[in-house]
Amino acid sequence: MDLGQNHRGVDMGPSAVRYANLARSLRVLGYATFDSGDITIPGHYALTSTSLEERLPLICKGCLSAYEQGRKAVAAGEIPIFLGGDHSAAIGTVGGVSHDTEIGLIWIDAHGDFNTPATSDSQNVHGMALAVLLGLGPQELVNLGRPGPKVKPENVTLIGIRDLDDKEKILIKTSGCTVFTMREVDEVGIRGVLTKTLQQFSHIDKIHISLDLDVMDPLDAPGVGTPSQGGLTYREGQLIMEILADTEKLHSLDIMEINPILDIQNRTAQMAVNLVSSLFGKKIL
């Protein structure tokens, strides 16, 4: 999926993660893996304009495919890992994995993705994805797969936020979601942030993690379309994954916004694979 934003190349993210040996890394940890292949989605090259009206039907179609893939995987007792692509794909992935069960959603991102067409200057859907999942925005996206919101705001935590639009800030503050900006990360540390998050999710036994690689500091993860300085360090990212692995509540996972064209020697995709390995139980000792 590259239709949720304007930078070419993010649709190559899944290939980069595969090339970084995600499947092999998981098999080493004892998991059986199956690659379902790519969901076919037209790219920017297929558009006559970049209008939201033209992109919406194509985004809906791609997200609906992801929704059905996620729903079927969960029903089969699998842990689906979705490789992006821009973060608008999460409208489908989160919807699908929550079709038959309540989940906690941890949105790890530099951005809030809480805009709507009424607040967004760019009209980029990847900046609206979380708002859509909570019932705000274009109704064809809000009602994708099943009518209405896909998650409850009290079951949503954002971590690593540092780049918000002014009108978006108002929506987030009134949303009911829990938000840990980089200031909170600096003040209480990753362990403090995760302790509070897991206390909030104590009644939930299934957690979906939506990881946007631009949450990492761009010095460590340059291969993203919307870099923002002052992000998580590699060790902070690893500690998030290690603590979440200890909960044994992992339900499903997004790996989003890797752009190999902007990367250096596939560094960002390799970092993603290392983080996922820790999430699935890889330990130092």
Side-chain angles (χ1 to χ4, degrees), residues 84-248:
D86 72 64
H87 217 160
S88 62
I91 296 168
T93 66
V94 175
V97 301
S98 62
H99 186 87
D100 295 311
T101 187
E102 183 177 27
I103 64 167
L105 173 58
I106 301 180
W107 197 269
I108 308 175
D109 199 328
H111 308 90
D113 295 349
F114 224 95
N115 273 301
T116 68
T119 66
S120 173
D121 292 332
S122 69
Q123 298 292 288
N124 285 336
V125 178
H126 76 160
M128 307 178 191
L130 185 52
V132 167
L133 289 168
L134 286 159
L136 303 176
Q139 289 303 292
E140 53 264 66
L141 291 175
V142 170
N143 295 320
L144 187 135
R146 65 184 189 275
K150 304 305 186 286
V151 287
K152 299 176 181 178
E154 61 268 26
N155 292 344
V156 177
T157 295
L158 295 83
I159 296 176
I161 306 299
R162 58 189 184 276
D163 188 0
L164 298 171
D165 298 327
D166 289 339
K167 294 178 181 178
E168 183 184 22
K169 293 178 184 178
I170 297 172
L171 291 177
I172 288 181
K173 285 180 179 178
T174 58
S175 68
C177 300
T178 300
V179 182
F180 294 103
T181 68
M182 282 305 299
R183 174 171 178 168
E184 280 80 43
V185 172
D186 291 340
E187 288 182 340
V188 306
I190 286 297
R191 174 165 288 281
V193 167
L194 266 293
T195 297
K196 292 180 180 179
T197 297
L198 295 175
Q199 287 172 346
Q200 175 189 351
F201 288 174
S202 60
H203 65 292
I204 296 173
D205 60 2
K206 296 179 177 65
I207 295 176
H208 177 89
I209 298 164
S210 199
L211 173 64
D212 185 325
L213 266 293
D214 69 23
V215 75
M216 308 302 295
D217 194 278
L219 292 175
D220 295 321
V224 296
T226 49
S228 179
Q229 291 183 331
L232 297 177
T233 66
Y234 178 64
R235 269 311 312 166
E236 286 174 327
Q238 284 282 14
L239 185 55
I240 290 173
M241 299 305 168
E242 291 162 354
I243 292 174
L244 290 174
D246 290 343
T247 69
E248 298 184 347

